[in-house]
Amino acid sequence: MIVLSFLAVGLALPFVRATIRFGCAQLVTERFDPLVTPGQVSPHVHQIIGGNAFNLTMKQDADLPNISTCTTCRFKEDKSNYWTAVLYFKHPNGSFLRVPQIPNHYVGGTRGGMTVYYIPGYPPYQKVTAFPKGFRMISGNPMLRNKPESYVDSVESWALSFRCWEDDEWLGASNRYAPGVGQYDTVHLPNKTCGGGIRQNVFFPTCWDGKNLDTPDHHSHMAYVEGKADPSIGLFFQRGDCPASHPIKMPTILFETWWDTRPFNDMWPEDGSQPFVLSMGDPTGYGLHGDYVFGWEGDSLQRAMDHCLDDFGTPELCKELTVLSDEEINQCAQPPQVNEQVDGENLTALPGCNPVQYGPGSATMVKGCTAISTISLPTATPAP
Ligand SMILES: *[C@@H]1O[C@H](CO)[C@@H](O)[C@H](O)[C@H]1NC(C)=O
Ligand SMILES: *[C@@H]1O[C@H](CO)[C@@H](O)[C@H](O)[C@H]1NC(C)=O
Ligand SMILES: *[C@@H]1O[C@H](CO)[C@@H](O)[C@H](O)[C@H]1NC(C)=O
Ligand SMILES: *[C@@H]1O[C@H](CO)[C@@H](O)[C@H](O)[C@H]1NC(C)=O
Ligand SMILES: *[C@@H]1O[C@H](CO)[C@@H](O)[C@H](O)[C@H]1NC(C)=O
């Protein structure tokens, strides 16, 4: 009954126009970031989903579909990796506890993880070019603690946002808008309790320069569509034209992460300040970021973008791809290789050297950090 009413509502909405939309379980949670700090333990904790070729170093010419033996994402062909920071609750006594993640509605029963969208161009199903082998990119900047004035209402500013679910009834008012728009989304962490948890939205830029698979900043080979964000229009990220410098329209990638903040709603500090902090010591949310390493088999992503035209992005309706069961997805996991506790207990500090920095200036790295910087042989069991 509930499912039917959601679909009935969902199909009428402008924002459900995905080509494919799917859940992915957690692969591993640890201080790894093979894009920004290859070969080194990264400064802050990430949660990673996707193929199990993920590692401390991932060479750009690595054949990910070949060296991965499984993926935590819904489609067997997708051995890409996707990652983002982790959210912690800061207890008034100063300890930190990782906020659990739960799957979005209608993406299956995966362990934690995220929901990934590949969205076609607008008008509906405008042809897009799949990412080439070796492609990578980052959206967002973990050092930010404020939005520059020039960002206000820009497409880029709204690409990274947080949805404050009003209550447990996700068919309700707070699901009437596309991610990043409407009265329930903010570009900072919500400053009030959210009865149904917080959904973090990370859109990636859509337009490619056609030349570079990556750039030193992992960003400038890509650009957002031109124009000003119009909060009354769903998915404005796909509506504008690509700039002449970045003329090739790619699928727009969106990851959604649902932070289950509900257990913490009765533990807010007495002064009313919001108690959540991203793993790089960011209590503002302006440092929200996501990383993507393309790893689809052969031309499978292009075929899906060309032929899988379900508005809702239902995996089973995409005949070009092979759908994995929840069980197969949940079995794919990696043991963490950094020998430190990142979740499951109240920590005295965020892993790495990440004091909480409120800004508004950019965050600074701690000098002389003595946190663990080397990996050890995997012995621990993967975190749930
Ligand atoms: C990660 O890289 C290390 C060092 O090259 C290697 O020993 C290990 O097998 C790799 N792990 C995976 C899952 O590929
Ligand atoms: C995977 O790698 C092996 C060994 O290099 C090669 O023989 C095989 O064709 C590759 N498979 C695919 C699907 O690329
Ligand atoms: C803070 O409170 C948590 C939960 O009650 C507890 O586990 C932790 O030990 C406390 N930390 C400190 C530093 O007192
Ligand atoms: C809370 O966030 C809203 C939306 O961005 C903003 O208008 C308001 O000033 C904020 N309130 C506080 C107390 O920070
Ligand atoms: C951590 O602290 C919270 C808040 O007091 C408490 O509810 C929870 O049981 C603690 N968790 C662990 C694993 O110690």
Side-chain angles (χ1 to χ4, degrees):
M1 210 43 222
I2 288 172
V3 171
L4 285 177
S5 67
F6 178 83
L7 291 176
V9 174
L11 290 175
L13 294 174
F15 64 85
V16 291
R17 205 165 277 129
T19 292
I20 44 175
R21 169 185 190 266
F22 51 93
C24 302
Q26 207 82 88
L27 178 73
V28 63
T29 300
E30 64 186 339
R31 281 197 294 126
F32 268 26
D33 188 340
L35 273 196
V36 178
T37 52
Q40 290 165 14
V41 173
S42 87
H44 55 265
V45 177
H46 290 119
Q47 43 123 359
I48 298 107
I49 59 173
N52 70 340
F54 179 78
N55 215 332
L56 190 62
T57 299
M58 294 177 79
K59 293 220 173 76
Q60 199 164 0
D61 59 0
D63 187 358
L64 299 184
N66 201 336
I67 56 182
S68 291
T69 56
C70 65
T71 174
T72 71
C73 288
R74 183 64 66 195
F75 296 113
K76 188 168 184 284
E77 291 81 0
D78 185 12
K79 304 298 193 338
S80 306
N81 287 111
Y82 312 81
W83 64 92
T84 187
V86 163
L87 192 68
Y88 289 88
F89 167 73
K90 184 169 182 278
H91 194 278
N93 75 6
S95 71
F96 296 88
L97 187 64
R98 181 176 174 193
V99 175
Q101 282 157 246
I102 45 179
N104 263 321
H105 31 231
Y106 313 115
V107 295
T110 54
R111 281 180 294 103
M114 302 195 264
T115 305
V116 176
Y117 294 64
Y118 284 78
I119 305 164
Y122 189 90
Y125 312 121
Q126 185 184 54
K127 192 168 166 60
V128 289
T129 305
F131 306 99
K133 185 169 177 287
F135 181 88
R136 312 133 167 233
M137 64 177 158
I138 290 181
S139 179
N141 174 354
M143 306 306 274
L144 284 186
R145 295 292 181 272
N146 200 357
K147 282 278 185 245
E149 200 61 32
S150 61
Y151 261 38
V152 175
D153 291 336
S154 69
V155 174
E156 183 159 17
S157 137
W158 281 94
L160 304 161
S161 64
F162 300 90
R163 165 76 45 96
C164 183
W165 294 120
E166 282 200 318
D167 49 42
D168 282 336
E169 186 50 86
W170 296 287
L171 313 181
S174 50
N175 198 20
R176 295 240 170 87
Y177 299 91
V181 301
Q183 74 212 68
Y184 301 96
D185 285 21
T186 48
V187 294
H188 51 76
L189 275 162
N191 53 22
K192 57 178 184 185
T193 55
C194 301
I198 299 170
R199 193 190 61 199
Q200 166 187 300
N201 312 305
V202 176
F203 280 95
F204 283 75
T206 302
C207 305
W208 184 40
D209 70 6
K211 293 189 279 279
N212 298 294
L213 298 173
D214 195 3
T215 35
D217 64 1
H218 312 291
H219 189 82
S220 51
H221 54 318
M222 295 296 287
Y224 287 92
V225 293
E226 287 180 315
K228 223 169 148 63
D230 178 349
S232 69
I233 300 177
L235 292 182
F236 47 73
F237 304 99
Q238 270 303 77
R239 290 183 180 234
D241 293 323
C242 285
S245 57
H246 295 74
I248 300 181
K249 211 173 220 189
M250 317 290 270
T252 301
I253 294 183
L254 159 66
F255 331 146
E256 291 173 342
T257 314
W258 186 352
W259 307 116
D260 191 2
T261 53
R262 292 172 296 179
F264 305 99
N265 281 350
D266 60 357
M267 288 193 263
W268 274 43
E270 278 170 9
D271 68 3
S273 59
Q274 80 79 26
F276 299 105
V277 50
L278 289 166
S279 48
M280 58 282 188
D282 176 14
T284 67
Y286 292 120
L288 177 55
H289 60 288
D291 294 45
Y292 175 60
V293 171
F294 171 83
W296 286 77
E297 269 174 41
D299 65 348
S300 56
L301 178 60
Q302 186 69 57
R303 282 187 283 112
M305 298 311 296
D306 290 346
H307 301 295
C308 298
L309 307 179
D310 176 44
D311 267 345
F312 200 65
T314 309
E316 289 74 14
L317 295 180
C318 183
K319 302 299 177 203
E320 300 293 326
L321 301 174
T322 316
V323 172
L324 299 173
S325 66
D326 287 349
E327 195 181 23
E328 286 170 294
I329 288 174
N330 288 334
Q331 273 169 6
C332 189
Q334 272 186 349
Q337 296 183 60
V338 184
N339 185 17
E340 67 184 358
Q341 199 74 30
V342 298
D343 57 15
E345 63 181 51
N346 288 297
L347 306 169
T348 55
L350 294 172
C353 294
N354 293 290
V356 178
Q357 297 186 57
Y358 288 87
S362 284
T364 51
M365 301 294 280
V366 167
K367 290 203 177 75
C369 175
T370 56
I372 291 179
S373 60
T374 55
I375 57 170
S376 46
L377 287 179
T379 48
T381 46

